[in-house]
Amino acid sequence: MIAFPPQTQTAISFAADLFRQSKHAVCLTGAGLSTPSGIPDFRSTGTGLWSRDEPMEVASLNTFRTAPENFFGWFRPLANQIYNAQPNSAHYSLAELEKAGRIHSIVTQKIDMLHQKAGSQFVIELHGTMQTLTCTQCYHKEQTSFHLDSFVEDGKIPHCSNCGGTLKPDVILFGEQLPQAAWFKAQHEARQCDLMLVVGSSLEVLPVAGLPMQALDHGAHLVIVNNMQTYLNIRADVVISEDAAEVIPAIAEKVLNG
Ligand SMILES: [Zn+2]
């Protein structure tokens, strides 16, 4: 076990108490949860690979449509890195909490499939997933794994096996709307929950950043585990500003084993 400062220990115990009292806990996760798994948060500046280009520009729907080779050139090193990343202890602990009936769902801004790899079942992906690609002409869906090697090794832009159209990764690009079904589910979860745990999201991107506010407005408790300041820290029951990969397992341990 990690020796946390006394103040953090108290906060962890308090968060665990809230989980034990909760009947419907929802976890909202962002890119910060996967940085210990080696995936840089591309919205933060100075995080290696992601900051070489301007993501708002190159990872936009507009670039994808007008200059797909620029988009895919930027996406190529990331695709391999993200696709092959492994969950960290925070992902595994969240999956355990769900298995034990302590977490109802995970709403995520991540596209890296690490919650599913860790064993989580009910995951609502607001920014899409790296798992699949969709044809921009005929909407045929294909598995990323089928195209990944030739794309990563030779830089070949993936094309539809059905009609030859360009395949677009099923991740939500800048300038693109959130997937409607996922967004409705996420809002439902935010309004139903009695506890929301925010992990690794700086809550800067709308409309996702508004979900914890919806939860608060419906009387839920709010726990924030984050290295970054968020606009809702002031309204949270507990804020723990430490590494999620250390804090989440410590909370889960207390919830599950007392
Ligand atoms: Zn097609």
Side-chain angles (χ1 to χ4, degrees):
M1 283 296 288
I2 298 137
F4 293 106
Q7 206 184 340
T8 308
Q9 290 283 12
T10 308
I12 287 169
S13 297
F14 187 33
D17 286 344
L18 290 175
F19 262 103
R20 282 200 223 97
Q21 290 155 19
S22 164
K23 300 257 181 291
H24 190 134
V26 169
C27 183
L28 173 63
T29 68
L33 183 56
S34 292
T35 45
S37 290
I39 301 174
D41 177 0
F42 73 94
R43 291 177 200 268
S44 307
T45 48
T47 46
L49 181 68
W50 294 82
S51 60
R52 275 202 313 228
D53 297 288
E54 180 51 64
M56 297 276 278
E57 177 59 38
V58 76
S60 69
L61 191 60
N62 189 40
T63 299
F64 184 85
R65 284 190 175 139
T66 55
E69 63 287 353
N70 290 358
F71 169 81
F72 281 107
W74 172 80
F75 195 56
R76 190 172 159 195
L78 301 177
N80 195 38
Q81 193 179 16
I82 295 173
Y83 202 83
N84 292 304
Q86 294 305 316
N88 60 57
S89 47
H91 295 102
Y92 286 115
S93 297
L94 293 175
E96 275 176 43
L97 285 168
E98 183 185 356
K99 207 177 292 169
R102 297 295 189 174
I103 284 183
H104 186 257
S105 63
I106 293 177
V107 177
T108 189
Q109 296 172 283
K110 297 173 333 82
I111 55 165
D112 53 33
M113 308 168 290
L114 292 184
H115 286 304
Q116 290 90 337
K117 281 185 186 171
S120 288
Q121 300 286 322
F122 187 7
V123 182
I124 301 166
E125 293 170 310
L126 289 176
H127 290 171
T129 176
M130 281 287 294
Q131 184 86 44
T132 48
L133 310 145
T134 299
C135 177
T136 48
Q137 285 180 32
C138 77
Y139 295 97
H140 183 240
K141 238 184 220 308
E142 302 200 12
Q143 292 295 312
T144 303
S145 54
F146 184 71
H147 295 274
L148 193 70
D149 285 350
S150 67
F151 172 53
V152 169
E153 278 160 33
D154 309 325
K156 269 198 218 153
I157 291 180
H159 286 284
C160 176
S161 62
N162 194 31
C163 77
T166 305
L167 292 169
K168 179 190 165 293
D170 285 338
V171 299
I172 304 304
L173 303 179
F174 290 102
E176 196 172 6
Q177 279 196 308
L178 299 190
Q180 192 187 44
W183 175 241
F184 284 165
K185 268 192 227 165
Q187 280 189 306
H188 178 81
E189 286 299 296
R191 290 168 188 162
Q192 294 293 313
C193 75
D194 56 11
L195 170 62
M196 183 172 276
L197 167 67
V198 175
V199 191
S201 173
S202 51
L203 301 178
E204 281 172 342
V205 185
L206 285 167
V208 179
L211 289 172
M213 189 59 100
Q214 292 191 27
L216 284 170
D217 287 347
H218 286 77
H221 290 285
L222 179 62
V223 175
I224 298 178
V225 177
N226 210 340
N227 285 324
M228 300 155 282
Q229 183 77 19
T230 81
Y231 81 102
L232 281 177
N233 279 20
I234 196 163
R235 297 218 26 210
D237 295 86
V238 190
V239 177
I240 306 175
S241 306
E242 309 256 357
D243 186 354
E246 294 174 355
V247 172
I248 301 299
I251 293 175
E253 163 73 21
K254 275 206 184 296
V255 174
L256 300 171
N257 303 317

mmCIF file of all heavy atoms in Angstrom, residues 30-70:
data_model
loop_
_atom_site.group_PDB
_atom_site.id
_atom_site.type_symbol
_atom_site.label_atom_id
_atom_site.label_comp_id
_atom_site.label_asym_id
_atom_site.label_seq_id
_atom_site.Cartn_x
_atom_site.Cartn_y
_atom_site.Cartn_z
ATOM 1 N N GLY A 30 -11.684 10.721 -17.923
ATOM 2 C CA GLY A 30 -11.064 11.460 -19.021
ATOM 3 C C GLY A 30 -9.641 10.987 -19.269
ATOM 4 O O GLY A 30 -9.158 10.040 -18.633
ATOM 5 N N ALA A 31 -8.978 11.678 -20.164
ATOM 6 C CA ALA A 31 -7.653 11.263 -20.638
ATOM 7 C C ALA A 31 -6.632 11.081 -19.515
ATOM 8 O O ALA A 31 -5.728 10.248 -19.622
ATOM 9 C CB ALA A 31 -7.129 12.288 -21.635
ATOM 10 N N GLY A 32 -6.774 11.846 -18.422
ATOM 11 C CA GLY A 32 -5.809 11.751 -17.323
ATOM 12 C C GLY A 32 -5.728 10.360 -16.710
ATOM 13 O O GLY A 32 -4.717 9.990 -16.120
ATOM 14 N N LEU A 33 -6.794 9.580 -16.865
ATOM 15 C CA LEU A 33 -6.789 8.221 -16.315
ATOM 16 C C LEU A 33 -5.859 7.306 -17.110
ATOM 17 O O LEU A 33 -5.350 6.321 -16.592
ATOM 18 C CB LEU A 33 -8.222 7.668 -16.320
ATOM 19 C CG LEU A 33 -8.440 6.278 -15.723
ATOM 20 C CD1 LEU A 33 -7.936 6.204 -14.290
ATOM 21 C CD2 LEU A 33 -9.899 5.903 -15.772
ATOM 22 N N SER A 34 -5.637 7.638 -18.380
ATOM 23 C CA SER A 34 -4.819 6.762 -19.218
ATOM 24 C C SER A 34 -3.387 7.249 -19.395
ATOM 25 O O SER A 34 -2.579 6.549 -20.005
ATOM 26 C CB SER A 34 -5.481 6.584 -20.592
ATOM 27 O OG SER A 34 -6.670 5.838 -20.464
ATOM 28 N N THR A 35 -3.051 8.413 -18.848
ATOM 29 C CA THR A 35 -1.647 8.844 -18.969
ATOM 30 C C THR A 35 -0.698 7.874 -18.254
ATOM 31 O O THR A 35 0.378 7.615 -18.786
ATOM 32 C CB THR A 35 -1.432 10.303 -18.487
ATOM 33 O OG1 THR A 35 -2.117 10.519 -17.268
ATOM 34 C CG2 THR A 35 -1.931 11.299 -19.509
ATOM 35 N N PRO A 36 -1.082 7.266 -17.089
ATOM 36 C CA PRO A 36 -0.175 6.257 -16.529
ATOM 37 C C PRO A 36 -0.046 5.008 -17.413
ATOM 38 O O PRO A 36 0.846 4.188 -17.206
ATOM 39 C CB PRO A 36 -0.828 5.887 -15.177
ATOM 40 C CG PRO A 36 -1.741 7.010 -14.848
ATOM 41 C CD PRO A 36 -2.217 7.530 -16.174
ATOM 42 N N SER A 37 -0.930 4.845 -18.389
ATOM 43 C CA SER A 37 -0.821 3.736 -19.338
ATOM 44 C C SER A 37 -0.031 4.137 -20.577
ATOM 45 O O SER A 37 0.006 3.404 -21.566
ATOM 46 C CB SER A 37 -2.218 3.254 -19.759
ATOM 47 O OG SER A 37 -2.872 2.602 -18.702
ATOM 48 N N GLY A 38 0.564 5.320 -20.547
ATOM 49 C CA GLY A 38 1.435 5.745 -21.642
ATOM 50 C C GLY A 38 0.723 6.462 -22.769
ATOM 51 O O GLY A 38 1.289 6.671 -23.834
ATOM 52 N N ILE A 39 -0.545 6.831 -22.574
ATOM 53 C CA ILE A 39 -1.253 7.566 -23.613
ATOM 54 C C ILE A 39 -1.300 9.036 -23.222
ATOM 55 O O ILE A 39 -1.956 9.396 -22.250
ATOM 56 C CB ILE A 39 -2.686 7.033 -23.804
ATOM 57 C CG1 ILE A 39 -2.641 5.553 -24.169
ATOM 58 C CG2 ILE A 39 -3.398 7.831 -24.892
ATOM 59 C CD1 ILE A 39 -3.985 4.892 -24.231
ATOM 60 N N PRO A 40 -0.588 9.882 -23.948
ATOM 61 C CA PRO A 40 -0.578 11.296 -23.578
ATOM 62 C C PRO A 40 -1.941 11.943 -23.796
ATOM 63 O O PRO A 40 -2.707 11.530 -24.663
ATOM 64 C CB PRO A 40 0.473 11.919 -24.503
ATOM 65 C CG PRO A 40 0.686 10.952 -25.597
ATOM 66 C CD PRO A 40 0.226 9.610 -25.147
ATOM 67 N N ASP A 41 -2.223 12.919 -22.974
ATOM 68 C CA ASP A 41 -3.470 13.675 -23.106
ATOM 69 C C ASP A 41 -3.253 14.763 -24.140
ATOM 70 O O ASP A 41 -2.567 15.739 -23.907
ATOM 71 C CB ASP A 41 -3.834 14.288 -21.745
ATOM 72 C CG ASP A 41 -5.074 15.159 -21.817
ATOM 73 O OD1 ASP A 41 -5.653 15.298 -22.913
ATOM 74 O OD2 ASP A 41 -5.455 15.708 -20.771
ATOM 75 N N PHE A 42 -3.845 14.576 -25.328
ATOM 76 C CA PHE A 42 -3.478 15.466 -26.429
ATOM 77 C C PHE A 42 -4.047 16.871 -26.288
ATOM 78 O O PHE A 42 -3.691 17.780 -27.003
ATOM 79 C CB PHE A 42 -3.824 14.862 -27.791
ATOM 80 C CG PHE A 42 -5.275 14.836 -28.126
ATOM 81 C CD1 PHE A 42 -5.828 15.863 -28.863
ATOM 82 C CD2 PHE A 42 -6.075 13.773 -27.739
ATOM 83 C CE1 PHE A 42 -7.165 15.840 -29.200
ATOM 84 C CE2 PHE A 42 -7.417 13.747 -28.069
ATOM 85 C CZ PHE A 42 -7.966 14.780 -28.792
ATOM 86 N N ARG A 43 -4.960 17.040 -25.336
ATOM 87 C CA ARG A 43 -5.470 18.395 -25.127
ATOM 88 C C ARG A 43 -4.537 19.213 -24.225
ATOM 89 O O ARG A 43 -4.653 20.417 -24.148
ATOM 90 C CB ARG A 43 -6.873 18.356 -24.531
ATOM 91 C CG ARG A 43 -7.901 17.841 -25.517
ATOM 92 C CD ARG A 43 -9.262 17.737 -24.868
ATOM 93 N NE ARG A 43 -10.129 16.836 -25.605
ATOM 94 C CZ ARG A 43 -10.954 17.216 -26.575
ATOM 95 N NH1 ARG A 43 -11.022 18.457 -26.923
ATOM 96 N NH2 ARG A 43 -11.714 16.348 -27.200
ATOM 97 N N SER A 44 -3.654 18.507 -23.504
ATOM 98 C CA SER A 44 -2.684 19.232 -22.673
ATOM 99 C C SER A 44 -1.463 19.546 -23.511
ATOM 100 O O SER A 44 -1.016 18.715 -24.297
ATOM 101 C CB SER A 44 -2.261 18.390 -21.475
ATOM 102 O OG SER A 44 -3.379 17.944 -20.777
ATOM 103 N N THR A 45 -0.897 20.705 -23.323
ATOM 104 C CA THR A 45 0.270 21.068 -24.129
ATOM 105 C C THR A 45 1.530 20.408 -23.570
ATOM 106 O O THR A 45 1.596 20.077 -22.395
ATOM 107 C CB THR A 45 0.474 22.599 -24.128
ATOM 108 O OG1 THR A 45 0.384 23.043 -22.780
ATOM 109 C CG2 THR A 45 -0.562 23.283 -24.971
ATOM 110 N N GLY A 46 2.504 20.227 -24.454
ATOM 111 C CA GLY A 46 3.805 19.709 -24.034
ATOM 112 C C GLY A 46 3.812 18.243 -23.656
ATOM 113 O O GLY A 46 4.687 17.782 -22.940
ATOM 114 N N THR A 47 2.825 17.470 -24.128
ATOM 115 C CA THR A 47 2.818 16.048 -23.794
ATOM 116 C C THR A 47 3.303 15.231 -24.991
ATOM 117 O O THR A 47 2.595 14.394 -25.523
ATOM 118 C CB THR A 47 1.425 15.573 -23.335
ATOM 119 O OG1 THR A 47 0.459 16.089 -24.255
ATOM 120 C CG2 THR A 47 1.085 16.053 -21.951
ATOM 121 N N GLY A 48 4.549 15.486 -25.372
ATOM 122 C CA GLY A 48 5.220 14.657 -26.380
ATOM 123 C C GLY A 48 4.532 14.679 -27.725
ATOM 124 O O GLY A 48 4.140 15.717 -28.255
ATOM 125 N N LEU A 49 4.423 13.508 -28.246
ATOM 126 C CA LEU A 49 3.873 13.184 -29.550
ATOM 127 C C LEU A 49 2.640 13.987 -29.974
ATOM 128 O O LEU A 49 2.531 14.453 -31.095
ATOM 129 C CB LEU A 49 3.532 11.703 -29.414
ATOM 130 C CG LEU A 49 2.961 10.835 -30.445
ATOM 131 C CD1 LEU A 49 3.973 10.632 -31.538
ATOM 132 C CD2 LEU A 49 2.732 9.487 -29.762
ATOM 133 N N TRP A 50 1.711 14.112 -29.057
ATOM 134 C CA TRP A 50 0.453 14.753 -29.415
ATOM 135 C C TRP A 50 0.629 16.241 -29.704
ATOM 136 O O TRP A 50 -0.203 16.824 -30.364
ATOM 137 C CB TRP A 50 -0.570 14.609 -28.282
ATOM 138 C CG TRP A 50 -1.007 13.229 -28.011
ATOM 139 C CD1 TRP A 50 -0.354 12.305 -27.256
ATOM 140 C CD2 TRP A 50 -2.197 12.588 -28.472
ATOM 141 N NE1 TRP A 50 -1.062 11.150 -27.225
ATOM 142 C CE2 TRP A 50 -2.196 11.290 -27.956
ATOM 143 C CE3 TRP A 50 -3.263 13.002 -29.264
ATOM 144 C CZ2 TRP A 50 -3.217 10.387 -28.209
ATOM 145 C CZ3 TRP A 50 -4.279 12.110 -29.517
ATOM 146 C CH2 TRP A 50 -4.253 10.810 -28.997
ATOM 147 N N SER A 51 1.680 16.844 -29.187
ATOM 148 C CA SER A 51 1.760 18.289 -29.315
ATOM 149 C C SER A 51 2.568 18.743 -30.522
ATOM 150 O O SER A 51 2.742 19.921 -30.747
ATOM 151 C CB SER A 51 2.359 18.879 -28.034
ATOM 152 O OG SER A 51 3.633 18.350 -27.831
ATOM 153 N N ARG A 52 3.064 17.790 -31.324
ATOM 154 C CA ARG A 52 3.843 18.186 -32.497
ATOM 155 C C ARG A 52 2.988 18.949 -33.498
ATOM 156 O O ARG A 52 3.428 19.859 -34.152
ATOM 157 C CB ARG A 52 4.439 16.950 -33.181
ATOM 158 C CG ARG A 52 5.754 16.510 -32.559
ATOM 159 C CD ARG A 52 6.530 15.680 -33.542
ATOM 160 N NE ARG A 52 5.669 14.675 -34.156
ATOM 161 C CZ ARG A 52 5.997 13.400 -34.270
ATOM 162 N NH1 ARG A 52 7.147 12.972 -33.815
ATOM 163 N NH2 ARG A 52 5.188 12.549 -34.855
ATOM 164 N N ASP A 53 1.756 18.524 -33.611
ATOM 165 C CA ASP A 53 0.829 19.252 -34.469
ATOM 166 C C ASP A 53 -0.258 19.854 -33.595
ATOM 167 O O ASP A 53 -0.366 19.525 -32.437
ATOM 168 C CB ASP A 53 0.187 18.304 -35.482
ATOM 169 C CG ASP A 53 1.214 17.699 -36.406
ATOM 170 O OD1 ASP A 53 1.729 18.433 -37.255
ATOM 171 O OD2 ASP A 53 1.514 16.498 -36.254
ATOM 172 N N GLU A 54 -1.009 20.685 -34.175
ATOM 173 C CA GLU A 54 -2.104 21.305 -33.443
ATOM 174 C C GLU A 54 -3.347 20.408 -33.569
ATOM 175 O O GLU A 54 -3.970 20.347 -34.626
ATOM 176 C CB GLU A 54 -2.367 22.699 -34.026
ATOM 177 C CG GLU A 54 -3.464 23.458 -33.361
ATOM 178 C CD GLU A 54 -3.326 23.510 -31.857
ATOM 179 O OE1 GLU A 54 -2.341 24.091 -31.364
ATOM 180 O OE2 GLU A 54 -4.200 22.953 -31.174
ATOM 181 N N PRO A 55 -3.703 19.668 -32.497
ATOM 182 C CA PRO A 55 -4.784 18.688 -32.606
ATOM 183 C C PRO A 55 -6.119 19.292 -33.045
ATOM 184 O O PRO A 55 -6.836 18.697 -33.840
ATOM 185 C CB PRO A 55 -4.914 18.116 -31.195
ATOM 186 C CG PRO A 55 -3.655 18.458 -30.506
ATOM 187 C CD PRO A 55 -3.125 19.683 -31.150
ATOM 188 N N MET A 56 -6.408 20.503 -32.556
ATOM 189 C CA MET A 56 -7.684 21.120 -32.920
ATOM 190 C C MET A 56 -7.812 21.249 -34.431
ATOM 191 O O MET A 56 -8.899 21.212 -34.986
ATOM 192 C CB MET A 56 -7.787 22.534 -32.308
ATOM 193 C CG MET A 56 -7.787 22.561 -30.816
ATOM 194 S SD MET A 56 -9.415 22.279 -30.117
ATOM 195 C CE MET A 56 -10.091 23.913 -30.241
ATOM 196 N N GLU A 57 -6.654 21.405 -35.093
ATOM 197 C CA GLU A 57 -6.654 21.576 -36.544
ATOM 198 C C GLU A 57 -6.602 20.208 -37.250
ATOM 199 O O GLU A 57 -7.473 19.867 -38.030
ATOM 200 C CB GLU A 57 -5.433 22.435 -36.935
ATOM 201 C CG GLU A 57 -5.251 22.653 -38.409
ATOM 202 C CD GLU A 57 -6.441 23.344 -39.058
ATOM 203 O OE1 GLU A 57 -7.013 24.241 -38.413
ATOM 204 O OE2 GLU A 57 -6.810 22.968 -40.191
ATOM 205 N N VAL A 58 -5.565 19.438 -36.908
ATOM 206 C CA VAL A 58 -5.327 18.209 -37.680
ATOM 207 C C VAL A 58 -6.329 17.114 -37.315
ATOM 208 O O VAL A 58 -6.702 16.296 -38.162
ATOM 209 C CB VAL A 58 -3.853 17.751 -37.530
ATOM 210 C CG1 VAL A 58 -3.592 17.105 -36.181
ATOM 211 C CG2 VAL A 58 -3.456 16.829 -38.665
ATOM 212 N N ALA A 59 -6.793 17.087 -36.057
ATOM 213 C CA ALA A 59 -7.748 16.060 -35.629
ATOM 214 C C ALA A 59 -9.181 16.556 -35.767
ATOM 215 O O ALA A 59 -10.037 16.244 -34.958
ATOM 216 C CB ALA A 59 -7.464 15.644 -34.184
ATOM 217 N N SER A 60 -9.405 17.324 -36.792
ATOM 218 C CA SER A 60 -10.748 17.875 -36.987
ATOM 219 C C SER A 60 -11.443 17.175 -38.150
ATOM 220 O O SER A 60 -10.804 16.614 -39.041
ATOM 221 C CB SER A 60 -10.674 19.373 -37.272
ATOM 222 O OG SER A 60 -10.103 19.592 -38.550
ATOM 223 N N LEU A 61 -12.752 17.243 -38.111
ATOM 224 C CA LEU A 61 -13.552 16.652 -39.184
ATOM 225 C C LEU A 61 -13.219 17.335 -40.511
ATOM 226 O O LEU A 61 -13.157 16.696 -41.557
ATOM 227 C CB LEU A 61 -15.042 16.826 -38.853
ATOM 228 C CG LEU A 61 -16.010 16.044 -39.721
ATOM 229 C CD1 LEU A 61 -15.762 14.548 -39.618
ATOM 230 C CD2 LEU A 61 -17.445 16.374 -39.339
ATOM 231 N N ASN A 62 -12.931 18.622 -40.445
ATOM 232 C CA ASN A 62 -12.612 19.387 -41.639
ATOM 233 C C ASN A 62 -11.335 18.865 -42.311
ATOM 234 O O ASN A 62 -11.304 18.636 -43.519
ATOM 235 C CB ASN A 62 -12.474 20.868 -41.256
ATOM 236 C CG ASN A 62 -12.368 21.742 -42.483
ATOM 237 O OD1 ASN A 62 -13.068 21.512 -43.467
ATOM 238 N ND2 ASN A 62 -11.465 22.710 -42.426
ATOM 239 N N THR A 63 -10.271 18.652 -41.508
ATOM 240 C CA THR A 63 -9.036 18.108 -42.071
ATOM 241 C C THR A 63 -9.277 16.705 -42.624
ATOM 242 O O THR A 63 -8.792 16.355 -43.702
ATOM 243 C CB THR A 63 -7.914 18.069 -41.013
ATOM 244 O OG1 THR A 63 -7.653 19.394 -40.581
ATOM 245 C CG2 THR A 63 -6.632 17.465 -41.571
ATOM 246 N N PHE A 64 -10.044 15.910 -41.882
ATOM 247 C CA PHE A 64 -10.311 14.547 -42.353
ATOM 248 C C PHE A 64 -10.964 14.572 -43.733
ATOM 249 O O PHE A 64 -10.652 13.778 -44.605
ATOM 250 C CB PHE A 64 -11.194 13.786 -41.360
ATOM 251 C CG PHE A 64 -11.402 12.356 -41.758
ATOM 252 C CD1 PHE A 64 -10.482 11.389 -41.402
ATOM 253 C CD2 PHE A 64 -12.493 11.997 -42.540
ATOM 254 C CE1 PHE A 64 -10.649 10.072 -41.816
ATOM 255 C CE2 PHE A 64 -12.670 10.683 -42.954
ATOM 256 C CZ PHE A 64 -11.741 9.725 -42.581
ATOM 257 N N ARG A 65 -11.881 15.509 -43.926
ATOM 258 C CA ARG A 65 -12.615 15.578 -45.199
ATOM 259 C C ARG A 65 -11.788 16.170 -46.320
ATOM 260 O O ARG A 65 -11.857 15.729 -47.463
ATOM 261 C CB ARG A 65 -13.880 16.415 -45.020
ATOM 262 C CG ARG A 65 -14.959 15.651 -44.284
ATOM 263 C CD ARG A 65 -16.269 16.420 -44.334
ATOM 264 N NE ARG A 65 -17.343 15.634 -43.722
ATOM 265 C CZ ARG A 65 -18.273 16.154 -42.918
ATOM 266 N NH1 ARG A 65 -18.253 17.443 -42.652
ATOM 267 N NH2 ARG A 65 -19.209 15.383 -42.413
ATOM 268 N N THR A 66 -10.985 17.219 -45.982
ATOM 269 C CA THR A 66 -10.299 17.947 -47.049
ATOM 270 C C THR A 66 -8.889 17.434 -47.315
ATOM 271 O O THR A 66 -8.403 17.513 -48.429
ATOM 272 C CB THR A 66 -10.218 19.450 -46.712
ATOM 273 O OG1 THR A 66 -9.596 19.583 -45.430
ATOM 274 C CG2 THR A 66 -11.600 20.080 -46.667
ATOM 275 N N ALA A 67 -8.225 16.922 -46.259
ATOM 276 C CA ALA A 67 -6.849 16.438 -46.431
ATOM 277 C C ALA A 67 -6.637 15.193 -45.574
ATOM 278 O O ALA A 67 -5.899 15.219 -44.592
ATOM 279 C CB ALA A 67 -5.854 17.533 -46.041
ATOM 280 N N PRO A 68 -7.325 14.083 -45.959
ATOM 281 C CA PRO A 68 -7.261 12.873 -45.118
ATOM 282 C C PRO A 68 -5.824 12.407 -44.870
ATOM 283 O O PRO A 68 -5.514 11.872 -43.803
ATOM 284 C CB PRO A 68 -8.080 11.833 -45.894
ATOM 285 C CG PRO A 68 -8.330 12.398 -47.240
ATOM 286 C CD PRO A 68 -8.176 13.881 -47.134
ATOM 287 N N GLU A 69 -4.904 12.652 -45.852
ATOM 288 C CA GLU A 69 -3.520 12.195 -45.660
ATOM 289 C C GLU A 69 -2.868 12.932 -44.496
ATOM 290 O O GLU A 69 -2.051 12.358 -43.775
ATOM 291 C CB GLU A 69 -2.705 12.307 -46.965
ATOM 292 C CG GLU A 69 -2.499 13.708 -47.543
ATOM 293 C CD GLU A 69 -3.745 14.330 -48.197
ATOM 294 O OE1 GLU A 69 -4.782 13.635 -48.342
ATOM 295 O OE2 GLU A 69 -3.696 15.521 -48.547
ATOM 296 N N ASN A 70 -3.232 14.184 -44.260
ATOM 297 C CA ASN A 70 -2.701 14.921 -43.098
ATOM 298 C C ASN A 70 -3.225 14.325 -41.808
ATOM 299 O O ASN A 70 -2.499 14.139 -40.838
ATOM 300 C CB ASN A 70 -3.104 16.399 -43.151
ATOM 301 C CG ASN A 70 -2.389 17.147 -44.247
ATOM 302 O OD1 ASN A 70 -1.560 16.567 -44.951
ATOM 303 N ND2 ASN A 70 -2.722 18.414 -44.411
#
